[in-house]
Amino acid sequence: MESRSSIQIIDNYLPINKFRYLQNIFFNPDSAFPWFYVNYISQETDDSDFYFYHFLYKDEKKCSPFYDQMIPSLIDKKVYRAKCNLYTKKDKEIHTGYHVDLPYKHRVLLYSLNTNNGFTLFENGDKILSKENQAVLFDGKIKHKSVAQTDERVRININIDYEI
């Protein structure tokens, strides 16, 4: 486990069988995991990039049948919001705007399903590359942004905002 200031990085976060189970949901073409397009990443006014998402939990309720297959393996805290993100390969690094996920106190668990050269950049300059089966945990008040990958066709992660 690595720690950078208030950012904690945990490699091999899940046992390999649980990791492969989750990875199969996203990368097996027969699983038919549904994705939804949005034409911005951090804020509606930011037109630098787009991505696909799938909410698992929001507005104090489960909103996906996949919630029970994913979240209990990843965290045992009260969840405020949980969603899956899929970013497509770009020709160059695209930096989105800095943001916080929620306007109130919370922590973030960002879990990567595949390794690629996309990354999360924090306002303090910390840069965390996407690495399969890695969790990045941090205080939700820390501004961060997503930077697109240029090597792999997709970058998939699960973003969980949870109780402190």
Side-chain angles (χ1 to χ4, degrees):
M1 176 175 30
E2 181 182 345
S3 185
R4 300 181 190 177
S5 59
S6 57
I7 301 167
Q8 184 181 21
I9 302 165
I10 306 171
D11 289 332
N12 302 309
Y13 185 71
L14 292 179
I16 194 69
N17 63 324
K18 288 185 180 183
F19 165 66
R20 293 285 180 226
Y21 175 80
L22 289 180
Q23 198 177 43
N24 188 58
I25 291 171
F26 297 104
F27 291 97
N28 180 343
D30 296 327
S31 75
F33 187 81
W35 291 103
F36 304 93
Y37 169 80
V38 64
N39 65 354
Y40 63 90
I41 293 183
S42 62
Q43 299 152 351
E44 289 183 40
T45 56
D46 178 6
D47 63 357
S48 62
D49 202 1
F50 66 92
Y51 78 123
F52 297 86
Y53 71 91
H54 179 102
F55 273 103
L56 301 167
Y57 190 92
K58 70 176 182 174
D59 300 327
E60 299 185 23
K61 64 179 183 259
K62 294 178 194 177
C63 50
S64 170
F66 291 94
Y67 177 93
D68 291 322
Q69 292 175 282
M70 296 180 190
I71 301 305
S73 295
L74 293 166
I75 196 160
D76 64 355
K77 305 270 187 186
K78 177 179 170 54
V79 172
Y80 296 133
R81 187 184 78 156
K83 70 184 184 102
C84 307
N85 300 314
L86 182 148
Y87 304 93
T88 59
K89 180 180 178 179
K90 306 299 180 197
D91 293 331
K92 63 179 183 176
E93 271 186 13
I94 297 176
H95 290 245
T96 61
Y98 284 108
H99 68 279
V100 294
D101 293 354
L102 300 172
Y104 46 86
K105 284 185 173 187
H106 67 287
R107 289 199 48 83
V108 178
L109 186 156
L110 186 60
Y111 180 74
S112 292
L113 275 296
N114 65 318
T115 299
N116 56 76
N117 67 1
F119 56 93
T120 301
L121 185 62
F122 293 87
E123 198 171 43
N124 68 2
D126 285 344
K127 172 182 172 179
I128 315 278
L129 287 169
S130 292
K131 182 179 175 186
E132 72 176 21
N133 198 17
Q134 176 180 270
V136 180
L137 294 89
F138 58 95
D139 189 314
K141 70 181 176 205
I142 300 173
K143 288 188 176 185
H144 58 283
K145 65 179 170 179
S146 177
V147 180
Q149 81 281 3
T150 60
D151 60 341
E152 297 294 327
R153 293 175 62 90
V154 296
R155 172 184 177 210
I156 298 176
N157 59 42
I158 301 172
N159 179 308
I160 305 169
D161 300 306
Y162 63 97
E163 173 178 64
I164 292 180

PDB file of all heavy atoms in Angstrom, residues 23-47:
ATOM      1  N   GLN A  23     -14.080  -8.011 -13.703  1.00  0.00           N
ATOM      2  CA  GLN A  23     -13.527  -7.694 -15.015  1.00  0.00           C
ATOM      3  C   GLN A  23     -14.350  -8.361 -16.123  1.00  0.00           C
ATOM      4  O   GLN A  23     -14.618  -7.761 -17.165  1.00  0.00           O
ATOM      5  CB  GLN A  23     -12.070  -8.154 -15.069  1.00  0.00           C
ATOM      6  CG  GLN A  23     -11.275  -7.515 -16.168  1.00  0.00           C
ATOM      7  CD  GLN A  23      -9.823  -7.945 -16.131  1.00  0.00           C
ATOM      8  OE1 GLN A  23      -9.510  -9.124 -15.931  1.00  0.00           O
ATOM      9  NE2 GLN A  23      -8.930  -6.993 -16.327  1.00  0.00           N
ATOM     10  N   ASN A  24     -14.800  -9.582 -15.879  1.00  0.00           N
ATOM     11  CA  ASN A  24     -15.598 -10.312 -16.862  1.00  0.00           C
ATOM     12  C   ASN A  24     -16.928  -9.609 -17.155  1.00  0.00           C
ATOM     13  O   ASN A  24     -17.413  -9.641 -18.293  1.00  0.00           O
ATOM     14  CB  ASN A  24     -15.835 -11.746 -16.374  1.00  0.00           C
ATOM     15  CG  ASN A  24     -16.485 -12.596 -17.433  1.00  0.00           C
ATOM     16  OD1 ASN A  24     -15.979 -12.761 -18.530  1.00  0.00           O
ATOM     17  ND2 ASN A  24     -17.647 -13.141 -17.096  1.00  0.00           N
ATOM     18  N   ILE A  25     -17.502  -8.968 -16.163  1.00  0.00           N
ATOM     19  CA  ILE A  25     -18.763  -8.241 -16.376  1.00  0.00           C
ATOM     20  C   ILE A  25     -18.578  -7.175 -17.448  1.00  0.00           C
ATOM     21  O   ILE A  25     -19.447  -6.958 -18.301  1.00  0.00           O
ATOM     22  CB  ILE A  25     -19.262  -7.603 -15.061  1.00  0.00           C
ATOM     23  CG1 ILE A  25     -19.717  -8.684 -14.078  1.00  0.00           C
ATOM     24  CG2 ILE A  25     -20.402  -6.614 -15.333  1.00  0.00           C
ATOM     25  CD1 ILE A  25     -20.018  -8.179 -12.675  1.00  0.00           C
ATOM     26  N   PHE A  26     -17.439  -6.519 -17.429  1.00  0.00           N
ATOM     27  CA  PHE A  26     -17.202  -5.421 -18.362  1.00  0.00           C
ATOM     28  C   PHE A  26     -16.594  -5.846 -19.695  1.00  0.00           C
ATOM     29  O   PHE A  26     -16.894  -5.259 -20.731  1.00  0.00           O
ATOM     30  CB  PHE A  26     -16.278  -4.380 -17.720  1.00  0.00           C
ATOM     31  CG  PHE A  26     -16.879  -3.735 -16.518  1.00  0.00           C
ATOM     32  CD1 PHE A  26     -16.462  -4.096 -15.247  1.00  0.00           C
ATOM     33  CD2 PHE A  26     -17.868  -2.777 -16.637  1.00  0.00           C
ATOM     34  CE1 PHE A  26     -17.020  -3.506 -14.129  1.00  0.00           C
ATOM     35  CE2 PHE A  26     -18.433  -2.191 -15.526  1.00  0.00           C
ATOM     36  CZ  PHE A  26     -18.005  -2.553 -14.265  1.00  0.00           C
ATOM     37  N   PHE A  27     -15.719  -6.838 -19.680  1.00  0.00           N
ATOM     38  CA  PHE A  27     -14.964  -7.169 -20.876  1.00  0.00           C
ATOM     39  C   PHE A  27     -15.456  -8.393 -21.638  1.00  0.00           C
ATOM     40  O   PHE A  27     -14.976  -8.664 -22.726  1.00  0.00           O
ATOM     41  CB  PHE A  27     -13.477  -7.323 -20.529  1.00  0.00           C
ATOM     42  CG  PHE A  27     -12.836  -6.015 -20.161  1.00  0.00           C
ATOM     43  CD1 PHE A  27     -12.700  -5.652 -18.823  1.00  0.00           C
ATOM     44  CD2 PHE A  27     -12.408  -5.136 -21.133  1.00  0.00           C
ATOM     45  CE1 PHE A  27     -12.124  -4.440 -18.474  1.00  0.00           C
ATOM     46  CE2 PHE A  27     -11.834  -3.916 -20.791  1.00  0.00           C
ATOM     47  CZ  PHE A  27     -11.690  -3.566 -19.462  1.00  0.00           C
ATOM     48  N   ASN A  28     -16.397  -9.122 -21.088  1.00  0.00           N
ATOM     49  CA  ASN A  28     -16.975 -10.264 -21.798  1.00  0.00           C
ATOM     50  C   ASN A  28     -18.106  -9.744 -22.691  1.00  0.00           C
ATOM     51  O   ASN A  28     -19.082  -9.190 -22.186  1.00  0.00           O
ATOM     52  CB  ASN A  28     -17.511 -11.284 -20.790  1.00  0.00           C
ATOM     53  CG  ASN A  28     -18.131 -12.484 -21.451  1.00  0.00           C
ATOM     54  OD1 ASN A  28     -18.471 -12.478 -22.625  1.00  0.00           O
ATOM     55  ND2 ASN A  28     -18.294 -13.539 -20.671  1.00  0.00           N
ATOM     56  N   PRO A  29     -17.997  -9.911 -24.003  1.00  0.00           N
ATOM     57  CA  PRO A  29     -19.039  -9.377 -24.897  1.00  0.00           C
ATOM     58  C   PRO A  29     -20.424  -9.978 -24.662  1.00  0.00           C
ATOM     59  O   PRO A  29     -21.436  -9.371 -25.005  1.00  0.00           O
ATOM     60  CB  PRO A  29     -18.530  -9.698 -26.299  1.00  0.00           C
ATOM     61  CG  PRO A  29     -17.373 -10.594 -26.144  1.00  0.00           C
ATOM     62  CD  PRO A  29     -16.925 -10.570 -24.720  1.00  0.00           C
ATOM     63  N   ASP A  30     -20.478 -11.145 -24.033  1.00  0.00           N
ATOM     64  CA  ASP A  30     -21.776 -11.775 -23.766  1.00  0.00           C
ATOM     65  C   ASP A  30     -22.470 -11.227 -22.523  1.00  0.00           C
ATOM     66  O   ASP A  30     -23.627 -11.528 -22.276  1.00  0.00           O
ATOM     67  CB  ASP A  30     -21.602 -13.288 -23.613  1.00  0.00           C
ATOM     68  CG  ASP A  30     -21.123 -13.933 -24.903  1.00  0.00           C
ATOM     69  OD1 ASP A  30     -21.497 -13.432 -25.986  1.00  0.00           O
ATOM     70  OD2 ASP A  30     -20.357 -14.918 -24.823  1.00  0.00           O
ATOM     71  N   SER A  31     -21.763 -10.430 -21.724  1.00  0.00           N
ATOM     72  CA  SER A  31     -22.381  -9.922 -20.490  1.00  0.00           C
ATOM     73  C   SER A  31     -23.374  -8.800 -20.760  1.00  0.00           C
ATOM     74  O   SER A  31     -24.251  -8.544 -19.958  1.00  0.00           O
ATOM     75  CB  SER A  31     -21.320  -9.442 -19.506  1.00  0.00           C
ATOM     76  OG  SER A  31     -20.779  -8.202 -19.921  1.00  0.00           O
ATOM     77  N   ALA A  32     -23.236  -8.105 -21.879  1.00  0.00           N
ATOM     78  CA  ALA A  32     -24.167  -7.042 -22.286  1.00  0.00           C
ATOM     79  C   ALA A  32     -24.345  -5.976 -21.207  1.00  0.00           C
ATOM     80  O   ALA A  32     -25.451  -5.533 -20.919  1.00  0.00           O
ATOM     81  CB  ALA A  32     -25.513  -7.641 -22.683  1.00  0.00           C
ATOM     82  N   PHE A  33     -23.245  -5.556 -20.599  1.00  0.00           N
ATOM     83  CA  PHE A  33     -23.306  -4.493 -19.603  1.00  0.00           C
ATOM     84  C   PHE A  33     -23.733  -3.199 -20.298  1.00  0.00           C
ATOM     85  O   PHE A  33     -23.123  -2.793 -21.283  1.00  0.00           O
ATOM     86  CB  PHE A  33     -21.932  -4.317 -18.936  1.00  0.00           C
ATOM     87  CG  PHE A  33     -21.956  -3.351 -17.792  1.00  0.00           C
ATOM     88  CD1 PHE A  33     -22.401  -3.751 -16.546  1.00  0.00           C
ATOM     89  CD2 PHE A  33     -21.543  -2.034 -17.955  1.00  0.00           C
ATOM     90  CE1 PHE A  33     -22.439  -2.866 -15.473  1.00  0.00           C
ATOM     91  CE2 PHE A  33     -21.566  -1.143 -16.893  1.00  0.00           C
ATOM     92  CZ  PHE A  33     -22.013  -1.565 -15.651  1.00  0.00           C
ATOM     93  N   PRO A  34     -24.783  -2.535 -19.805  1.00  0.00           N
ATOM     94  CA  PRO A  34     -25.281  -1.326 -20.480  1.00  0.00           C
ATOM     95  C   PRO A  34     -24.498  -0.056 -20.101  1.00  0.00           C
ATOM     96  O   PRO A  34     -24.238   0.201 -18.929  1.00  0.00           O
ATOM     97  CB  PRO A  34     -26.728  -1.220 -19.988  1.00  0.00           C
ATOM     98  CG  PRO A  34     -26.731  -1.897 -18.661  1.00  0.00           C
ATOM     99  CD  PRO A  34     -25.650  -2.944 -18.707  1.00  0.00           C
ATOM    100  N   TRP A  35     -24.132   0.719 -21.117  1.00  0.00           N
ATOM    101  CA  TRP A  35     -23.431   1.987 -20.923  1.00  0.00           C
ATOM    102  C   TRP A  35     -24.286   3.117 -21.454  1.00  0.00           C
ATOM    103  O   TRP A  35     -25.051   2.941 -22.400  1.00  0.00           O
ATOM    104  CB  TRP A  35     -22.094   1.979 -21.670  1.00  0.00           C
ATOM    105  CG  TRP A  35     -21.079   1.039 -21.100  1.00  0.00           C
ATOM    106  CD1 TRP A  35     -20.719  -0.180 -21.595  1.00  0.00           C
ATOM    107  CD2 TRP A  35     -20.310   1.237 -19.912  1.00  0.00           C
ATOM    108  NE1 TRP A  35     -19.762  -0.742 -20.793  1.00  0.00           N
ATOM    109  CE2 TRP A  35     -19.484   0.105 -19.755  1.00  0.00           C
ATOM    110  CE3 TRP A  35     -20.225   2.265 -18.972  1.00  0.00           C
ATOM    111  CZ2 TRP A  35     -18.585  -0.036 -18.701  1.00  0.00           C
ATOM    112  CZ3 TRP A  35     -19.327   2.125 -17.930  1.00  0.00           C
ATOM    113  CH2 TRP A  35     -18.527   0.990 -17.803  1.00  0.00           C
ATOM    114  N   PHE A  36     -24.126   4.301 -20.872  1.00  0.00           N
ATOM    115  CA  PHE A  36     -24.893   5.480 -21.263  1.00  0.00           C
ATOM    116  C   PHE A  36     -23.931   6.621 -21.595  1.00  0.00           C
ATOM    117  O   PHE A  36     -23.015   6.905 -20.833  1.00  0.00           O
ATOM    118  CB  PHE A  36     -25.844   5.875 -20.128  1.00  0.00           C
ATOM    119  CG  PHE A  36     -26.749   4.735 -19.745  1.00  0.00           C
ATOM    120  CD1 PHE A  36     -26.400   3.871 -18.716  1.00  0.00           C
ATOM    121  CD2 PHE A  36     -27.912   4.489 -20.443  1.00  0.00           C
ATOM    122  CE1 PHE A  36     -27.205   2.794 -18.374  1.00  0.00           C
ATOM    123  CE2 PHE A  36     -28.734   3.413 -20.114  1.00  0.00           C
ATOM    124  CZ  PHE A  36     -28.376   2.572 -19.073  1.00  0.00           C
ATOM    125  N   TYR A  37     -24.171   7.260 -22.716  1.00  0.00           N
ATOM    126  CA  TYR A  37     -23.296   8.317 -23.227  1.00  0.00           C
ATOM    127  C   TYR A  37     -23.598   9.663 -22.571  1.00  0.00           C
ATOM    128  O   TYR A  37     -24.757  10.004 -22.344  1.00  0.00           O
ATOM    129  CB  TYR A  37     -23.508   8.432 -24.746  1.00  0.00           C
ATOM    130  CG  TYR A  37     -22.874   9.650 -25.364  1.00  0.00           C
ATOM    131  CD1 TYR A  37     -21.517   9.673 -25.657  1.00  0.00           C
ATOM    132  CD2 TYR A  37     -23.634  10.779 -25.670  1.00  0.00           C
ATOM    133  CE1 TYR A  37     -20.932  10.789 -26.230  1.00  0.00           C
ATOM    134  CE2 TYR A  37     -23.049  11.897 -26.237  1.00  0.00           C
ATOM    135  CZ  TYR A  37     -21.694  11.889 -26.518  1.00  0.00           C
ATOM    136  OH  TYR A  37     -21.119  12.995 -27.081  1.00  0.00           O
ATOM    137  N   VAL A  38     -22.544  10.412 -22.288  1.00  0.00           N
ATOM    138  CA  VAL A  38     -22.697  11.800 -21.846  1.00  0.00           C
ATOM    139  C   VAL A  38     -21.604  12.606 -22.555  1.00  0.00           C
ATOM    140  O   VAL A  38     -20.477  12.146 -22.708  1.00  0.00           O
ATOM    141  CB  VAL A  38     -22.642  11.960 -20.300  1.00  0.00           C
ATOM    142  CG1 VAL A  38     -21.299  11.580 -19.744  1.00  0.00           C
ATOM    143  CG2 VAL A  38     -23.040  13.339 -19.865  1.00  0.00           C
ATOM    144  N   ASN A  39     -21.955  13.796 -23.021  1.00  0.00           N
ATOM    145  CA  ASN A  39     -21.030  14.572 -23.852  1.00  0.00           C
ATOM    146  C   ASN A  39     -20.103  15.503 -23.072  1.00  0.00           C
ATOM    147  O   ASN A  39     -19.553  16.438 -23.644  1.00  0.00           O
ATOM    148  CB  ASN A  39     -21.790  15.348 -24.928  1.00  0.00           C
ATOM    149  CG  ASN A  39     -22.698  16.400 -24.340  1.00  0.00           C
ATOM    150  OD1 ASN A  39     -22.849  16.481 -23.123  1.00  0.00           O
ATOM    151  ND2 ASN A  39     -23.308  17.205 -25.188  1.00  0.00           N
ATOM    152  N   TYR A  40     -19.922  15.255 -21.801  1.00  0.00           N
ATOM    153  CA  TYR A  40     -18.951  15.982 -20.983  1.00  0.00           C
ATOM    154  C   TYR A  40     -18.481  15.035 -19.882  1.00  0.00           C
ATOM    155  O   TYR A  40     -19.119  14.022 -19.625  1.00  0.00           O
ATOM    156  CB  TYR A  40     -19.554  17.261 -20.383  1.00  0.00           C
ATOM    157  CG  TYR A  40     -20.693  17.006 -19.434  1.00  0.00           C
ATOM    158  CD1 TYR A  40     -20.460  16.825 -18.070  1.00  0.00           C
ATOM    159  CD2 TYR A  40     -22.005  16.910 -19.879  1.00  0.00           C
ATOM    160  CE1 TYR A  40     -21.500  16.556 -17.186  1.00  0.00           C
ATOM    161  CE2 TYR A  40     -23.045  16.656 -19.003  1.00  0.00           C
ATOM    162  CZ  TYR A  40     -22.784  16.482 -17.660  1.00  0.00           C
ATOM    163  OH  TYR A  40     -23.814  16.215 -16.787  1.00  0.00           O
ATOM    164  N   ILE A  41     -17.364  15.399 -19.220  1.00  0.00           N
ATOM    165  CA  ILE A  41     -16.868  14.522 -18.163  1.00  0.00           C
ATOM    166  C   ILE A  41     -17.026  15.143 -16.785  1.00  0.00           C
ATOM    167  O   ILE A  41     -17.685  14.598 -15.925  1.00  0.00           O
ATOM    168  CB  ILE A  41     -15.411  14.084 -18.429  1.00  0.00           C
ATOM    169  CG1 ILE A  41     -15.401  13.179 -19.668  1.00  0.00           C
ATOM    170  CG2 ILE A  41     -14.831  13.349 -17.229  1.00  0.00           C
ATOM    171  CD1 ILE A  41     -14.075  12.607 -20.039  1.00  0.00           C
ATOM    172  N   SER A  42     -16.456  16.299 -16.563  1.00  0.00           N
ATOM    173  CA  SER A  42     -16.501  16.841 -15.199  1.00  0.00           C
ATOM    174  C   SER A  42     -17.645  17.835 -14.979  1.00  0.00           C
ATOM    175  O   SER A  42     -18.259  17.836 -13.934  1.00  0.00           O
ATOM    176  CB  SER A  42     -15.165  17.489 -14.832  1.00  0.00           C
ATOM    177  OG  SER A  42     -14.889  18.563 -15.695  1.00  0.00           O
ATOM    178  N   GLN A  43     -17.913  18.672 -15.939  1.00  0.00           N
ATOM    179  CA  GLN A  43     -18.981  19.673 -15.813  1.00  0.00           C
ATOM    180  C   GLN A  43     -19.644  19.858 -17.169  1.00  0.00           C
ATOM    181  O   GLN A  43     -18.986  19.732 -18.206  1.00  0.00           O
ATOM    182  CB  GLN A  43     -18.400  21.014 -15.337  1.00  0.00           C
ATOM    183  CG  GLN A  43     -17.742  20.907 -13.984  1.00  0.00           C
ATOM    184  CD  GLN A  43     -16.623  21.923 -13.806  1.00  0.00           C
ATOM    185  OE1 GLN A  43     -16.212  22.598 -14.728  1.00  0.00           O
ATOM    186  NE2 GLN A  43     -16.103  22.008 -12.592  1.00  0.00           N
ATOM    187  N   GLU A  44     -20.921  20.183 -17.187  1.00  0.00           N
ATOM    188  CA  GLU A  44     -21.662  20.333 -18.441  1.00  0.00           C
ATOM    189  C   GLU A  44     -21.039  21.360 -19.378  1.00  0.00           C
ATOM    190  O   GLU A  44     -21.181  21.257 -20.587  1.00  0.00           O
ATOM    191  CB  GLU A  44     -23.120  20.700 -18.157  1.00  0.00           C
ATOM    192  CG  GLU A  44     -23.899  19.549 -17.562  1.00  0.00           C
ATOM    193  CD  GLU A  44     -25.365  19.884 -17.345  1.00  0.00           C
ATOM    194  OE1 GLU A  44     -25.967  20.548 -18.213  1.00  0.00           O
ATOM    195  OE2 GLU A  44     -25.903  19.468 -16.308  1.00  0.00           O
ATOM    196  N   THR A  45     -20.346  22.340 -18.824  1.00  0.00           N
ATOM    197  CA  THR A  45     -19.733  23.379 -19.658  1.00  0.00           C
ATOM    198  C   THR A  45     -18.388  22.935 -20.247  1.00  0.00           C
ATOM    199  O   THR A  45     -17.818  23.623 -21.083  1.00  0.00           O
ATOM    200  CB  THR A  45     -19.515  24.668 -18.838  1.00  0.00           C
ATOM    201  OG1 THR A  45     -18.721  24.349 -17.686  1.00  0.00           O
ATOM    202  CG2 THR A  45     -20.836  25.260 -18.405  1.00  0.00           C
ATOM    203  N   ASP A  46     -17.883  21.782 -19.816  1.00  0.00           N
ATOM    204  CA  ASP A  46     -16.595  21.276 -20.286  1.00  0.00           C
ATOM    205  C   ASP A  46     -16.817  20.387 -21.501  1.00  0.00           C
ATOM    206  O   ASP A  46     -17.299  19.269 -21.381  1.00  0.00           O
ATOM    207  CB  ASP A  46     -15.919  20.489 -19.157  1.00  0.00           C
ATOM    208  CG  ASP A  46     -14.581  19.886 -19.555  1.00  0.00           C
ATOM    209  OD1 ASP A  46     -14.103  20.157 -20.680  1.00  0.00           O
ATOM    210  OD2 ASP A  46     -14.005  19.147 -18.747  1.00  0.00           O
ATOM    211  N   ASP A  47     -16.478  20.874 -22.675  1.00  0.00           N
ATOM    212  CA  ASP A  47     -16.679  20.090 -23.891  1.00  0.00           C
ATOM    213  C   ASP A  47     -15.377  19.475 -24.413  1.00  0.00           C
ATOM    214  O   ASP A  47     -15.248  19.152 -25.585  1.00  0.00           O
ATOM    215  CB  ASP A  47     -17.349  20.935 -24.975  1.00  0.00           C
ATOM    216  CG  ASP A  47     -16.495  22.113 -25.422  1.00  0.00           C
ATOM    217  OD1 ASP A  47     -15.399  22.316 -24.860  1.00  0.00           O
ATOM    218  OD2 ASP A  47     -16.916  22.822 -26.355  1.00  0.00           O
TER     219      ASP A  47
END
